[in-house]
C-alpha cells in the first residue's frame, strides 16, 4: 500500500508531461508512454486526458491565457477584457497566435473573485483588469520574449 | 493579495498574516500541534465524542455533521482507511480555502492528522486544484517539516499511530469538488460521480472507508480538540456552532474574506464590506451559484442554518455575491446556467440536456425573443433537473433560477413578448 500511496497519479503524470512540452499539450506518443508506465490501455488514458479541462490533446502555446467569465468576473466587466485580448492577439478561444506564443481558453472560476476580473497567464495571476491594463500586460510578455531572443 | 476581516474573535484566521506560513516553528510557537499532542494521550473514542458534541458541520456546502461522518468511517472494519482533504474549491465566488491553505497550511495538516487518528486512517491526500500553485508550494514545505518534527509518518511522536499525508493535484474540473468524483480523480480516472450509497465513509478511495472533508471543516479540529467542544460552542448559535468564512464579491465596496461567528446578520456582513456599490441592494447570492437567492427585503436575517432555512437558503460554502438594483436578474441567471452547462460532466441526461436547454431558453428570454410558453418550459426543465439529476451538480444547478422565478417574477415577465 505504502508504495502505491506515494506514486504519482495518472493525472499528475499527464499534467507534468504536458508542462514539459513547449506547446503545453499531450501528443500521442506521450499518452503511449504514460499508459505504459501506469499499465493502463491507451484508450483509457486518452479518455481520462480528454475529460479534464486542464489537459490538452491539441497543441497550444508557450503562454496559456486562462480567462474567467463567471458571475463575479462577469459583473466587473470580464467580457470587455476578453474582447480586448482577442482583438489585441487576433485569436479566439481555442486558438494559438501565429507566433506560437499565446493560446486563449475559458476557465471555470479561478478562486480569485475579490480581484475580478482576473486572468491567469500560465500560473501568474493578473487581477483588477481593464481592457487597457490587459493589453499592457500582454505587451510586456511580448517585449520580454523579444529581449530574451536577442 | 486577498484581504480579510473578522467579526469577533477568529478561530480560522487567527494566525493569518501574523505568522510566516513557511515556518513550522512559527506555527508551533502559537500553540500549533499542541492539539495533536493532547489527542495522542486520549483514545479515538473520547475525541470522537468531543467532535460530535461540538456539533461541527461540514463547510464544503452540504453542512453534514462531521462527527457522524467520522463515526461511520471509524466503525468500518476494512483497512486501510483514508482521509481526503477536499481543496478543489471550484464554486464561483469562493476563495476561502485558498486563503487558509496559503497562509496557515499547518492548521489544515494538523486537522487532517486529528481526523485520521479519530477514524484510524493511516493515509491521507490533500486533493487540490493545480492552479493553486502558492498553496501547493507552501503545503509541500509544511508537510516536509511536519515529517521532520515527527507529526507525520510512522509512530507519530512515539505513539503507535502512523499517518502519511500527500498532495494530490487534480486537473481542473468543477465536478471534481463533488466527493465521489474527487475520489475517482485521485484514482486516476475520469472525474465522474459514483452512485451513493455506498457513501465514502463506507466505501471510498479504492473501495476503502474514507472521510472526505472540506479544508475549512478540518481547520476547526485543532481548536475543538485543544480547547474542547464547550469552548467551541461559545461561538455561534444553537444548531450552528463555531465561525464561518464568507467570500465577498460582486457589488460591494470591499472584497475579500470575512470570518464571522454564526448568527451575525447578513446585512451586517454586507455593511462590514462597505455596503452595496453602484446602487441599492437587489439581492444576495448566498452559498455560491448553486446556493440560494436572498432578496433585498430578506437580508435582515441571521446567518445560521436554522434562520436561513426559513427562507429556503443556507450558508453553503460561504459565498456572498452582492447584486445591486441595476443588475438584470435574467442576465445573472444566464451567466449561472452557462457555467453549469460548461461544467456538467455529461454522465446523466437530466443535467447534460437540462443545463443546455435551460441555458438556451434563458438566452432567448434575455434577447426578448421568448414567449410565456418558454418561461413555463424553463421552470419545468429546472424542476426535472433538481429532482432527477444523478449528483449534486445537476440537482443544485437550477436553484437560483427557480428562486428568482419566485422572487423576481415580474422582472422575468418584463422580458417576455
Ligand atoms: C458539484 C459539486 C461540487 C462540489 N465542490 C466542492 C468543493 O470544491 N470543495 C468542497 O469542499 N466540497 C465540494 N462539494 C461538496 C463535497 O461533495 C462534500 O460534500 C464535501 O467535500 C464534504 O466535506 P464537508 O463535510 O467538510 O463539507 C461539492 C459538491 C458538489 C455536488
Ligand atoms: S448531475 Fe450533471 S455533473 Fe452530476 S452526474 Fe449528472 S451530468 Fe454529471
Amino acid at each position: 500500500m505504502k508504495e502505491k500511496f506515494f506514486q504519482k497519479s495518472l493525472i499528475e503524470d499527464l499534467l507534468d508531461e504536458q508542462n514539459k512540452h513547449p506547446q503545453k499539450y499531450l501528443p500521442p506518443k506521450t499518452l503511449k508512454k504514460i499508459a505504459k508506465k501506469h499499465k493502463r490501455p491507451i484508450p483509457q488514458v486518452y479518455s481520462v486526458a480528454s475529460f479534464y479541462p486542464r489537459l490538452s490533446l491539441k497543441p497550444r502555446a508557450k503562454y496559456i491565457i486562462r480567462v474567467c467569465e463567471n458571475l463575479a468576473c462577469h459583473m466587473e466587466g470580464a467580457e470587455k477584457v476578453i474582447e480586448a485580448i482577442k482583438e489585441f492577439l487576433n485569436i479566439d478561444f481555442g486558438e494559438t497566435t501565429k507566433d506560437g506564443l499565446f493560446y486563449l481558453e475559458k476557465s471555470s472560476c479561478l478562486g480569485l473573485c475579490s480581484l475580478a476580473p482576473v486572468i491567469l497567464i500560465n500560473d501568474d495571476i493578473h487581477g483588477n483588469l481593464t481592457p487597457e491594463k490587459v493589453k499592457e500586460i500582454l505587451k510586456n510578455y511580448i517585449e520580454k520574449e523579444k529581449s530574451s531572443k536577442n | 493579495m486577498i484581504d480579510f476581516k473578522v467579526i469577533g474573535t477568529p478561530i480560522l484566521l487567527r494566525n493569518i498574516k501574523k505568522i510566516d506560513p513557511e515556518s513550522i516553528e512559527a506555527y508551533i510557537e502559537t500553540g500549533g500541534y499542541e492539539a495533536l499532542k493532547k489527542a495522542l494521550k486520549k483514545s479515538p473514542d473520547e475525541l470522537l465524542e468531543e467532535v460530535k458534541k461540538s456539533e461541527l458541520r461540514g463547510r464544503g456546502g452540504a453542512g453534514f455533521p462531521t462527527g457522524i461522518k467520522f463515526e461511520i468511517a471509524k466503525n468500518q472494519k476494512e483497512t486501510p482507511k483514508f482521509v481526503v482533504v477536499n481543496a478543489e474549491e471550484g464554486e464561483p465566488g469562493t476563495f476561502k480555502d485558498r486563503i487558509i491553505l496559503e497562509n496557515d497550511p499547518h492548521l489544515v495538516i494538523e486537522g487532517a492528522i486529528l481526523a485520521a487518528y479519530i477514524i484510524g486512517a493511516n493515509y491521507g491526500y490533500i486533493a487540490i486544484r493545480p492552479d493553486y500553485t502558492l498553496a501547493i508550494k507552501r503545503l509541500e514545505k509544511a508537510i516536509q517539516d511536519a515529517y521532520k518534527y515527527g507529526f507525520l509518518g510512522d509512530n507519530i511522536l512515539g505513539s503507535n499511530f502512523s499517518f502519511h499525508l500527500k498532495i494530490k493535484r487534480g486537473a481542473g474540473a468543477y465536478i471534481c469538488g463533488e466527493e465521489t468524483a474527487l475520489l475517482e480523480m485521485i484514482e486516476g480516472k475520469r472525474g465522474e460521480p459514483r452512485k451513493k450509497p455506498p457513501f465514502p465513509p463506507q466505501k471510498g478511495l479504492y473501495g476503502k472507508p474514507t472521510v472526505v472533508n472540506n479544508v475549512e471543516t478540518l481547520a476547526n479540529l485543532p481548536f475543538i480538540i485543544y480547547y474542547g467542544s464547550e469552548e467551541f460552542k461559545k461561538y455561534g448559535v444553537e444548531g450552528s456552532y463555531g465561525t464561518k468564512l464568507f467570500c465577498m464579491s460582486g457589488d460591494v465596496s470591499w472584497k475579500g474574506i470575512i470570518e464571522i461567528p454564526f448568527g451575525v446578520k447578513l446585512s451586517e456582513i454586507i455593511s462590514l464590506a462597505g455596503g452595496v456599490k453602484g446602487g441599492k441592494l437587489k439581492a444576495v447570492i448566498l452559498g455560491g451559484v448553486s446556493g440560494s437567492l436572498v432578496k433585498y427585503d430578506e437580508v435582515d436575517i441571521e446567518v445560521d442554518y436554522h434562520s436561513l432555512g426559513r427562507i429556503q437558503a443556507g450558508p453553503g460554502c460561504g459565498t456572498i455575491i452582492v447584486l445591486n438594483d441595476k443588475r438584470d436578474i435574467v442576465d445573472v441567471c444566464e451567466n449561472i446556467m452557462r457555467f453549469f452547462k460548461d461544467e456538467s460532466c455529461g454522465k446523466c441526461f437530466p443535467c447534460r440536456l437540462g443545463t443546455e436547454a435551460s441555458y438556451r431558453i434563458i438566452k432567448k428570454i434575455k434577447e426578448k425573443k421568448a414567449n410565456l410558453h418558454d418561461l413555463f418550459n424553463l421552470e419545468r426543465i429546472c424542476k426535472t433537473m433538481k429532482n432527477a439529476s444523478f449528483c449534486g451538480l445537476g440537482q443544485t444547478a437550477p436553484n437560483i433560477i427557480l428562486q428568482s422565478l419566485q422572487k423576481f417574477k415580474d422582472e422575468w415577465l418584463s422580458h417576455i413578448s
Side-chain angles (χ1 to χ4, degrees):
Chain A
M1 184 60 223
K2 211 161 167 178
E3 207 174 296
K4 186 171 159 197
F5 175 79
F6 282 105
Q7 263 174 14
K8 253 204 248 176
S9 77
L10 174 68
I11 290 158
E12 288 176 305
D13 268 324
L14 291 168
L15 271 174
D16 292 342
E17 284 295 324
Q18 169 174 278
N19 257 342
K20 280 189 219 152
H21 197 288
Q23 286 169 299
K24 306 262 160 44
Y25 87 114
L26 295 161
K29 72 169 193 300
T30 307
L31 292 183
K32 244 187 226 170
K33 189 174 91 181
I34 294 175
K36 202 167 157 192
K37 179 184 162 193
H38 285 267
K39 300 192 182 72
R40 301 263 288 265
I42 295 169
Q44 220 183 66
V45 174
Y46 175 87
S47 152
V48 170
S50 67
F51 180 84
Y52 291 94
R54 288 293 298 259
L55 299 173
S56 178
L57 296 165
K58 67 171 208 185
R60 292 188 290 180
K62 180 166 180 182
Y63 295 108
I64 297 174
I65 306 173
R66 214 167 264 121
V67 300
C68 172
E69 291 184 278
N70 293 304
L71 198 53
C73 281
H74 170 70
M75 288 171 64
E76 296 286 349
E79 277 79 3
K80 287 202 188 91
V81 171
I82 295 166
E83 272 318 304
I85 299 174
K86 286 181 178 172
E87 200 186 287
F88 186 75
L89 295 177
N90 198 19
I91 50 173
D92 205 339
F93 287 124
E95 291 177 1
T96 303
T97 50
K98 281 211 183 73
D99 56 9
L101 219 46
F102 298 101
Y103 178 87
L104 182 64
E105 72 183 24
K106 270 199 235 186
S107 169
S108 67
C109 179
L110 297 168
L112 290 162
C113 316
S114 61
L115 308 174
V118 62
I119 66 169
L120 289 184
I121 301 183
N122 288 348
D123 287 322
D124 294 329
I125 298 162
H126 303 278
N128 296 317
L129 292 175
T130 59
E132 294 70 41
K133 259 199 210 165
V134 80
K135 280 186 221 164
E136 280 309 308
I137 290 164
L138 292 172
K139 268 185 210 155
N140 286 341
Y141 273 86
I142 295 169
E143 285 303 315
K144 204 175 73 189
E145 271 315 297
K146 272 192 197 144
S147 58
S148 73
K149 267 191 196 137
N150 294 335
Chain B
M1 203 164 20
I2 295 174
D3 208 358
F4 73 95
K5 291 184 178 186
V6 291
I7 295 181
T9 321
I11 291 181
L12 301 158
L13 301 182
R14 62 180 183 269
N15 289 333
I16 290 196
K17 310 224 159 109
K18 287 199 191 119
I19 66 165
D20 174 4
E22 298 192 14
S23 159
I24 190 171
E25 290 80 14
Y27 180 72
I28 292 171
E29 247 171 62
T30 64
Y33 290 108
E34 285 302 320
L36 176 63
K37 287 178 195 159
K38 189 172 170 186
L40 292 173
K41 293 190 196 118
K42 296 188 173 183
S43 73
D45 282 310
E46 268 177 277
L47 299 174
L48 176 65
E49 266 324 296
E50 207 58 42
V51 176
K52 277 169 73 181
K53 273 201 293 201
S54 79
E55 295 181 48
L56 175 66
R57 297 173 68 157
R59 308 294 199 232
F64 190 82
T66 307
I68 293 180
K69 195 186 276 189
F70 286 1
E71 189 168 36
I72 299 170
K74 185 175 185 301
N75 288 342
Q76 305 297 315
K77 299 253 150 34
E78 274 212 66
T79 56
K81 295 179 186 176
F82 294 94
V83 168
V84 171
V85 183
N86 189 343
E88 271 293 313
E89 192 159 66
E91 183 73 36
T94 315
F95 43 98
K96 65 183 179 72
D97 296 340
R98 178 198 281 271
I99 202 168
I100 304 179
L101 293 167
E102 287 181 357
N103 294 288
D104 206 3
H106 285 288
L107 188 65
V108 182
I109 294 171
E110 189 175 3
I113 304 170
L114 292 169
Y117 181 65
I118 294 171
I119 70 156
N122 299 117
Y123 299 96
Y125 286 116
I126 300 177
I128 187 165
R129 43 186 298 182
D131 52 345
Y132 274 17
T133 46
L134 182 62
I136 292 172
K137 190 180 127 221
R138 292 195 169 154
L139 278 170
E140 261 165 9
K141 165 114 185 17
I143 289 175
Q144 251 180 27
D145 290 345
Y147 267 101
K148 264 188 231 146
Y149 273 78
F151 301 136
L152 281 172
D154 291 325
N155 302 101
I156 291 176
L157 299 174
S159 69
N160 54 15
F161 166 59
S162 303
F163 180 61
H164 294 274
L165 185 65
K166 193 176 181 303
I167 294 170
K168 185 100 330 189
R169 285 166 296 147
Y174 171 65
I175 186 59
C176 290
E178 196 281 335
E179 53 187 5
T180 60
L182 188 70
L183 299 176
E184 291 288 298
M185 184 194 84
I186 297 173
E187 292 181 14
K189 300 178 187 153
R190 289 165 71 92
E192 288 172 6
R194 297 177 183 170
K195 192 166 106 22
K196 293 193 268 192
F199 295 94
Q202 303 161 307
K203 279 190 190 308
L205 194 61
Y206 305 110
K208 304 291 181 186
T210 304
V211 295
V212 182
N213 272 117
N214 175 255
V215 167
E216 186 185 343
T217 313
L218 293 175
N220 279 295
L221 286 184
F223 185 98
I224 293 171
I225 300 298
Y226 187 73
Y227 293 103
S229 60
E230 237 163 76
E231 193 59 32
F232 182 73
K233 286 168 103 166
K234 288 186 184 157
Y235 296 76
V237 292
E238 199 183 335
S240 311
Y241 292 109
T243 64
K244 177 82 194 81
L245 299 183
F246 281 91
C247 314
M248 309 298 296
S249 67
D251 297 320
V252 270
S253 303
W254 176 91
K255 293 174 187 177
I257 306 279
I258 300 184
E259 178 169 356
I260 60 144
F262 277 109
V264 167
K265 285 197 170 158
L266 183 53
S267 48
E268 205 179 316
I269 302 176
I270 297 170
S271 300
L272 186 66
V276 184
K277 186 182 73 177
K280 278 191 275 184
L281 181 67
K282 176 184 190 120
V284 173
I285 291 180
L286 182 64
V289 299
S290 65
S292 43
L293 187 69
V294 181
K295 208 176 163 178
Y296 59 87
D297 57 4
E298 294 173 321
V299 291
D300 202 28
I301 193 166
E302 287 82 13
V303 175
D304 61 73
Y305 290 97
H306 181 73
S307 307
L308 289 171
R310 290 201 306 259
I311 55 164
Q312 281 98 51
C317 54
T319 300
I320 293 182
I321 305 178
V322 175
L323 308 178
N324 70 26
D325 57 358
K326 304 201 173 62
R327 301 290 173 186
D328 174 5
I329 202 73
V330 179
D331 176 67
V332 168
C333 288
E334 182 201 21
N335 183 279
I336 291 174
M337 200 42 89
R338 188 177 56 196
F339 167 77
F340 286 115
K341 164 182 86 74
D342 290 345
E343 295 297 327
S344 166
C345 84
K347 181 179 172 129
C348 74
F349 279 126
C351 168
R352 185 175 76 214
L353 303 179
T355 51
E356 182 72 46
S358 51
Y359 168 68
R360 264 191 260 131
I361 298 176
I362 299 171
K363 195 158 180 274
K364 203 168 145 192
I365 295 173
K366 189 177 140 185
E367 290 162 358
K368 303 216 186 260
K369 290 180 191 155
N371 56 31
L372 216 48
H373 184 69
D374 291 312
L375 199 60
F376 287 134
N377 250 344
L378 176 64
E379 191 169 5
R380 209 172 45 111
I381 294 168
C382 283
K383 283 186 178 156
T384 308
M385 260 197 279
K386 197 178 170 76
N387 295 328
S389 290
F390 185 80
C391 86
L393 189 149
Q395 290 158 11
T396 59
N399 278 355
I400 302 286
I401 316 307
L402 285 170
Q403 294 196 351
S404 77
L405 285 171
Q406 281 179 1
K407 296 183 181 178
F408 293 96
K409 193 172 178 184
D410 291 345
E411 204 176 319
W412 280 95
L413 287 172
S414 73
H415 284 74
I416 299 292
S417 46

